[in-house]
């Protein structure tokens, strides 16, 4: 029944559409190629709004959600083995383009949450994310800064990005959030996989489908999204709707998820 429900949601949320229009290029204050949101055909805008609405109705992935609300905890012995797979806050200095800054901002915020779980010093994370928030200068991401997960309250963030003409960066941030959490899951399945139930797994698979649909619709309007589209394409092979299926598929996709993370985060 859950699988049928999931498939019905996916069919309703992901519809076929053709994209059109011409690309325009402009330089922003940082001499970066900007995104002309006005180019997007009205039909594509409606479809993106629909996808964002479905995404906004999904629960946050349990890795962050349960860490933040205290449901996921570590023993003193577990905390002694610090994770070696988290990004260094220093990577923020390597983010040059606006796209890179958004993606690194999201990834570092997620890693900070995991670092806090292990009682690690997060001062450097705070400083790095604060600098990136200043660099992107995006009022819509004030909501993100309060909770650390772009998918939480994503509808509000999406609407803010629509108003500021930055929906392309919204989807880049969603991509970085999803890939980083999946990467963390792959690195420590023993601890993080048990926080998933079948509904959370179906949620994850649907989220991947929604993200890919949105990115593919926007690629024609923003060439920078080609890299994101290519990075997340292997994730379409994840079709799990149960925890057992997810465990099996992660074993086959770990290398692809790692490659996606390396491609999205400079």
């Amino acid at each position: 029944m859950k699988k049928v429900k999931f498939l019905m949601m996916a069919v309703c949320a992901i519809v076929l559409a053709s994209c059109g229009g011409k690309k325009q290029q402009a330089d922003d204050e940082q001499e970066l190629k900007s995104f002309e949101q006005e180019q997007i055909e009205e039909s594509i805008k409606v479809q993106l709004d629909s996808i964002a609405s479905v995404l906004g109705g999904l629960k946050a992935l349990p890795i962050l959600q349960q860490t933040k609300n205290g449901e996921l905890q570590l023993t003193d012995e577990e905390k002694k083995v610090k994770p070696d797979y988290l990004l260094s806050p220093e990577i923020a200095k390597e983010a040059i383009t606006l796209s890179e800054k958004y993606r690194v901002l999201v990834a570092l915020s997620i890693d900070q949450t995991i670092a806090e779980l292990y009682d690690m010093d997060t001062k450097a994370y705070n400083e790095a994310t604060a600098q990136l928030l200043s660099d992107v200068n995006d009022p819509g991401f004030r909501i993100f800064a309060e909770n650390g997960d772009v998918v939480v309250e994503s509808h509000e963030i999406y609407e803010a990005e629509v108003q500021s003409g930055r929906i392309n960066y919204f989807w880049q941030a969603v991509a970085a959030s999803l890939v980083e959490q999946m990467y963390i899951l792959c690195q420590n399945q023993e601890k993080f996989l048990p926080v998933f139930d079948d509904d959370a797994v179906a949620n994850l698979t649907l989220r991947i489908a929604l993200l890919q649909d949105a990115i593919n619709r926007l690629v024609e309007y923003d060439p920078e999204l080609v890299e994101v589209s290519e990075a997340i394409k292997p994730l379409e092979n994840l079709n799990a709707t149960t925890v057992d299926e997810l465990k099996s598929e992660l074993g086959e996709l770990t290398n692809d998820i790692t490659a996606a993370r390396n491609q999205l985060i400079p």
Side-chain angles (χ1 to χ4, degrees):
M1 181 63 69
K2 291 178 180 177
K3 182 171 290 187
V4 172
K5 181 180 179 182
F6 164 73
L7 291 174
M8 289 177 64
M9 290 177 64
V11 169
C12 291
I14 306 172
V15 295
L16 296 176
S18 58
C19 297
K22 297 181 179 179
K23 303 182 185 71
Q24 297 179 352
Q25 296 181 349
D27 291 335
D28 63 8
E29 294 178 356
Q30 300 179 36
E31 295 184 354
L32 302 173
K33 187 177 295 183
S34 69
F35 173 71
E36 297 296 338
Q37 184 167 286
E38 293 77 10
Q39 301 178 75
I40 302 177
E41 293 180 4
E42 188 60 32
S43 61
I44 303 299
K45 288 182 180 179
V46 171
Q47 290 152 8
L48 289 171
D49 290 348
S50 177
I51 294 171
S53 178
V54 176
L55 182 70
L58 300 179
K59 293 181 179 179
L61 292 182
I63 292 176
L64 288 188
Q65 187 179 43
Q66 293 193 21
T67 299
K68 287 181 174 296
N69 64 22
E71 291 182 54
L72 177 60
Q73 297 183 351
L74 301 178
T75 65
D76 290 340
E77 288 301 312
E78 288 175 322
K79 290 179 180 179
K80 291 179 180 179
V81 184
K82 306 301 183 185
D84 58 2
Y85 49 82
L86 301 180
L87 295 167
S88 166
E90 290 295 312
I91 201 171
K93 299 176 182 178
E94 300 176 24
I96 305 301
T97 69
L98 201 53
S99 295
E100 291 172 348
K101 290 178 184 294
Y102 272 94
R103 299 197 301 256
V104 172
L105 168 61
V106 171
L108 283 179
S109 296
I110 291 171
D111 284 14
Q112 178 175 341
T113 299
I114 303 303
E116 291 169 349
L117 181 65
Y118 282 86
D119 291 341
M120 297 167 62
D121 185 358
T122 58
K123 179 181 178 181
Y125 281 102
N126 285 326
E127 293 174 348
T129 54
Q131 183 59 56
L132 288 169
L133 279 169
S134 176
D135 290 347
V136 301
N137 189 27
D138 187 340
F141 264 63
R142 291 173 184 169
I143 304 170
F144 160 77
E146 294 172 359
N147 55 58
D149 182 4
V150 72
V151 178
V152 177
E153 306 296 343
S154 64
H155 184 68
E156 292 183 39
I157 298 177
Y158 177 79
E159 290 299 324
E161 298 307 277
V162 169
Q163 294 300 317
S164 63
R166 294 190 179 195
I167 60 171
N168 56 331
Y169 296 120
F170 169 82
W171 291 110
Q172 294 217 30
V174 171
S177 174
L178 180 60
V179 169
E180 188 65 15
Q181 291 183 71
M182 291 185 68
Y183 176 78
I184 289 171
L185 173 59
C186 288
Q187 298 304 308
N188 192 350
Q189 292 187 43
E190 181 178 350
K191 188 65 184 180
F192 295 124
L193 191 58
V195 305
F196 283 80
D197 57 20
D198 290 351
D199 286 335
V201 173
N203 176 322
L204 169 62
T205 302
L206 176 57
R207 186 174 298 183
I208 291 172
L210 293 170
L211 173 63
Q212 290 179 318
D213 192 10
I215 293 292
N216 290 339
R217 293 178 192 279
L218 280 171
V219 161
E220 183 171 348
Y221 302 97
D222 183 1
E224 287 190 345
L225 285 171
V226 172
E227 179 182 22
V228 179
S229 178
E230 292 175 348
I232 65 175
K233 183 172 177 54
L235 301 185
E236 66 187 15
N237 294 319
L238 194 150
N239 299 302
T241 56
T242 68
V243 175
D244 287 341
E245 290 174 350
L246 177 60
K247 182 177 182 179
S248 176
E249 293 182 14
L250 283 178
E252 300 173 358
L253 288 171
T254 294
N255 289 339
D256 289 330
I257 293 170
T258 300
R261 191 232 205 180
N262 292 339
Q263 190 167 350
L264 290 178
I265 309 300

